[in-house]
Amino acid sequence: MISDELFSVGHAAMAGLIACASTFVYLLVKGYQARLTFYQLRQKGMPMPPWNSILGHLLAVPPVMKTLPEDTQQPDAFEALCRATEKKDADSIIYLDMWPFADPMMVICSPVLAIQACQEYDLPKPHILHAFFNPLAGGANLFTMNGPEWKRSRALFNSGFSASYILQQTSHVVDEAEIYVDVLREHARKGKMFSLDDVTLSYMMDVIGAVTLDSRLHSQQQFNPLASALRRQIRWHVLDNEWNLLIRWNPVRPIVQRYNSYQMNNYIARELDKRYTEWTEDEKAASSRSIIHLVLAGYMAQQKDKPRSKKLDPTFRDWATVQIRLFLFAGHDSTSSTICYCFYLLQSHPEAMTKLRAEHDAVFGTDITETANTMREQPHLLNQLPYTTAVIKESLRLFPPASAMRGGQPSVYLQDDKGNRYPTEGTNMWILHSAVQRNPKYWPSAMEFIPERWLVEPGDPLYPVKGGWRPFEHGPRNCLGQTLAMLDIKITLALTVREFDIRHAYDEWDRLHPTTKVKSVNGERAYQTQSGGAHPADGYPCRVSLREKDT
């Protein structure tokens, strides 16, 4: 018996050694392949930082990171690296060898190359995106899908995001915006510093909840399990800049993430079951084009020749839950950030604020207490705000909430205006929206806030370069929700800028949280940090007061 036990222990030990050896060999081969790829790219003269045959470009990143805040978003570091190492006779692009932390990467900071990747070739979304989106959405979703599966899903949702239908959502958005205004009034009454980002996230969560689920979440006023679970999932999931391995590999994280998913899935499943029951009892329910009704319409179309079931098919419900989670995440996170940056830039440019307020007076009348009702009754007026639109687009240019990523193909080469060709095979292409939209090669006064660049005619030096503005991306895979996002921001500005003075409180925040570390990017204290999408640093501490009217 003892010999049998010894044999079992020895067998297990041998299996462990074989597993370790196999892992070591696998990593050795993968590492060799990665370094060989970049050796060959360097031999071909492809643009890249100084490269080490053992460590790749891992040594090139720390010097750049030292010049930036610890919590800055990753695109800021890669943008700085691109600008420091790009060739004069080539466009704004570099190759990065970050193995074993990332697959071979092309960092694109040029609109010319971005157009080719996302529009001309419409390259697929790479598998690496699943690791980011799956914990948030819960599985394969519209953002990460490719091929026929993506086309079918996109077609299902298109009608719910048409410009005419989105305008019909004005009343829903105004309802939630009025609560946001009440929250700001309360903060004005208290006079204390608070996080504008947190308040605005709850507001946008309520907006996207109304548009997606056709029901009100009321998360601005009280606890909502869906909103709470989603925001908690983001906090536990996004750790791009966390170098502490004890935090990054926290064994509690998978448990918390599963619990958050359970909470979100249960909430959405109940809503789906409720809407399905309503639909089966009243066919007129199909007239709505909220996201939840669109997915049910697709399901009902598939079931039209089958006996009607009293319950939703569980497989379909799981699929629908994933898509709804994606819309809830994407629909609230990026728009809230843009609202904060609009306030930030308008505070720094009082002349722009004066023009904005004058436009709102001209379109909605000078009695600000009637603005909400005016928008409900005449939503088309929101399409008559050219300067407001220019302010939003310029804010999105300077502070885009996200970037784009595409996967390379063996036969696809990108080509710049100088004739240089860049192979994409085996790479993930990261199109840095912030770098493309602030690239001085293509944008005059690239770092300045100039809303007028969106109002000039073609031929004017300020006129935007083709493909240079990409916060919602271009091409077949552009953002479905861009019309809704623009509507949300217009309504928010129209209901706030004439009633409040919203001023950041970074000086006060820094006195309360002193540090000798770097706390700005490109001279901006409200630099972007990664929290789902990109958000203003430190939650955008601010104070709000009732506006003192100009005399």
Side-chain angles (χ1 to χ4, degrees):
M1 183 179 293
I2 294 175
S3 61
D4 289 344
E5 291 177 352
L6 290 173
F7 176 79
S8 297
V9 171
H11 186 72
M14 181 62 67
L17 286 173
I18 292 173
C20 290
S22 299
T23 301
F24 176 76
V25 171
Y26 171 79
L27 292 174
L28 193 65
V29 171
K30 289 288 289 184
Y32 173 77
Q33 290 174 339
R35 299 298 182 250
L36 179 61
T37 295
F38 276 84
Y39 173 79
Q40 293 170 341
L41 288 170
R42 193 178 66 159
Q43 291 298 104
K44 294 176 182 178
M46 294 296 105
M48 64 178 70
W51 181 78
N52 182 283
S53 59
I54 303 298
L55 296 175
H57 290 128
L58 295 178
L59 296 177
V61 176
V64 174
M65 295 300 298
K66 289 180 180 179
T67 67
L68 298 167
E70 291 181 349
D71 59 346
T72 190
Q73 61 168 351
Q74 284 187 353
D76 287 334
F78 290 137
E79 177 183 358
L81 197 59
C82 185
R83 289 183 178 176
T85 60
E86 64 180 336
K87 294 184 175 182
K88 292 183 179 180
D89 59 345
D91 211 336
S92 301
I93 179 176
I94 57 171
Y95 287 81
L96 280 181
D97 178 5
M98 302 298 292
W99 191 88
F101 298 100
D103 292 333
M105 189 186 313
M106 291 174 66
V107 176
I108 295 174
C109 307
S110 156
V112 173
L113 302 179
I115 288 171
Q116 293 172 47
C118 297
Q119 294 161 253
E120 292 182 14
Y121 294 110
D122 186 23
L123 294 169
K125 297 293 184 74
H127 186 76
I128 191 175
L129 290 175
H130 290 263
F132 178 82
F133 279 96
N134 282 9
L136 300 172
N141 56 77
L142 189 62
F143 195 91
T144 59
M145 293 173 183
N146 286 302
E149 183 184 18
W150 169 79
K151 289 182 179 179
R152 286 193 300 270
S153 299
R154 174 84 179 210
L156 177 66
F157 295 112
N158 275 335
S159 66
F161 289 94
S162 67
S164 59
Y165 180 70
I166 288 298
L167 201 60
Q168 295 174 33
Q169 302 298 308
T170 297
S171 182
H172 289 311
V173 180
V174 171
D175 289 343
E176 306 302 343
E178 286 186 307
I179 297 174
Y180 182 63
V181 169
D182 287 340
V183 171
L184 293 179
R185 286 173 184 153
E186 181 63 16
H187 280 292
R189 186 188 66 79
K190 292 178 180 177
K192 296 181 179 179
M193 181 172 60
F194 68 99
S195 168
L196 184 65
D197 192 42
D198 286 347
V199 168
T200 310
L201 279 164
S202 295
Y203 161 44
M204 279 294 107
M205 192 74 215
D206 283 350
V207 169
I208 197 63
V211 174
T212 301
L213 298 174
D214 199 19
S215 64
R216 302 190 69 176
L217 303 183
H218 299 292
S219 67
Q220 295 185 85
Q221 301 163 299
Q222 61 192 36
F223 172 80
N224 178 275
L226 176 61
S228 176
L230 178 53
R231 291 307 308 165
R232 189 167 57 243
Q233 189 80 328
I234 293 170
R235 288 193 297 272
W236 276 84
H237 172 54
V238 181
L239 295 166
D240 286 350
N241 295 331
E242 183 56 68
W243 295 98
N244 186 327
L245 296 183
L246 294 177
I247 297 175
R248 198 174 184 91
W249 294 342
N250 186 345
V252 177
R253 178 170 295 104
I255 299 172
V256 174
Q257 289 181 328
R258 280 195 293 270
Y259 175 73
N260 293 336
S261 285
Y262 171 80
Q263 291 284 90
M264 288 187 278
N265 292 347
N266 270 7
Y267 191 107
I268 295 169
R270 287 195 300 270
E271 289 292 322
L272 282 164
D273 288 339
K274 176 183 174 183
R275 301 300 176 189
Y276 178 70
T277 300
E278 292 172 353
W279 194 312
T280 57
E281 294 175 353
D282 181 7
E283 292 283 345
K284 293 181 180 179
S287 61
S288 172
R289 277 191 285 175
S290 62
I291 299 304
I292 196 168
H293 283 93
L294 288 173
V295 296
L296 285 172
Y299 174 76
M300 298 299 282
Q302 294 172 359
Q303 304 297 314
K304 64 181 180 180
D305 297 326
K306 301 176 183 178
R308 180 165 292 181
S309 173
K310 292 183 179 180
K311 293 184 178 181
L312 275 174
D313 175 67
T315 301
F316 168 79
R317 187 170 61 186
D318 290 345
W319 177 88
T321 297
V322 169
Q323 310 318 314
I324 289 172
R325 279 177 57 172
L326 173 70
F327 282 114
L328 289 170
F329 163 66
H332 90 284
D333 189 85
S334 57
T335 307
S336 62
S337 170
T338 301
I339 290 170
C340 291
Y341 278 114
C342 285
F343 289 137
Y344 174 69
L345 291 164
L346 287 167
Q347 173 189 338
S348 305
H349 299 84
E351 72 287 350
M353 178 68 89
T354 298
K355 293 179 182 179
L356 190 71
R357 287 168 170 165
E359 180 174 78
H360 294 173
D361 282 344
V363 174
F364 300 113
T366 56
D367 184 356
I368 62 174
T369 64
E370 288 298 315
T371 302
N373 287 332
T374 300
M375 286 191 288
R376 287 191 183 96
E377 295 167 2
Q378 304 178 69
H380 65 276
L381 293 177
L382 290 160
N383 291 328
Q384 299 176 19
L385 299 170
Y387 193 76
T388 303
T389 301
V391 165
I392 298 169
K393 294 184 76 170
E394 186 70 345
S395 300
L396 281 165
R397 183 184 72 82
L398 290 170
F399 295 101
S403 293
M405 188 167 282
R406 297 300 177 97
Q409 299 282 294
S411 60
V412 174
Y413 288 74
L414 305 185
Q415 182 168 315
D416 64 22
D417 289 340
K418 298 178 177 62
N420 299 301
R421 299 176 78 238
Y422 306 100
T424 70
E425 181 178 4
T427 69
N428 291 322
M429 281 162 283
W430 199 356
I431 297 97
L432 301 186
H433 288 170
S434 53
V436 171
Q437 296 176 173
R438 301 192 298 240
N439 191 329
K441 290 183 178 180
Y442 296 94
W443 295 87
S445 304
M447 300 305 295
E448 295 182 27
F449 177 71
I450 308 174
E452 287 73 17
R453 74 173 82 237
W454 303 102
L455 302 173
V456 299
E457 297 294 328
D460 189 288
L462 281 177
Y463 192 76
V465 63
K466 178 183 177 182
W469 189 77
R470 318 187 66 86
F472 301 114
E473 259 310 328
H474 293 286
R477 303 204 64 155
N478 63 354
C479 176
L480 256 179
Q482 58 185 292
T483 304
L484 175 62
M486 293 296 290
L487 179 76
D488 294 342
I489 303 167
K490 287 179 187 178
I491 289 173
T492 305
L493 294 177
L495 289 177
T496 55
V497 296
R498 291 181 296 164
E499 180 171 352
F500 302 107
D501 285 316
I502 300 174
R503 301 187 178 280
H504 72 74
Y506 278 113
D507 290 344
E508 182 178 356
W509 173 271
D510 290 341
R511 286 195 298 271
L512 295 172
H513 305 84
T515 181
T516 57
K517 297 178 180 178
V518 178
K519 294 299 287 184
S520 69
V521 177
N522 296 319
E524 300 287 0
R525 178 61 182 84
Y527 58 88
Q528 293 177 290
T529 61
Q530 203 70 39
S531 177
H535 287 259
D538 300 310
Y540 198 90
C542 80
R543 288 181 181 273
V544 60
S545 59
L546 296 177
R547 175 192 169 200
E548 296 182 6
K549 297 291 181 68
D550 300 330
T551 57

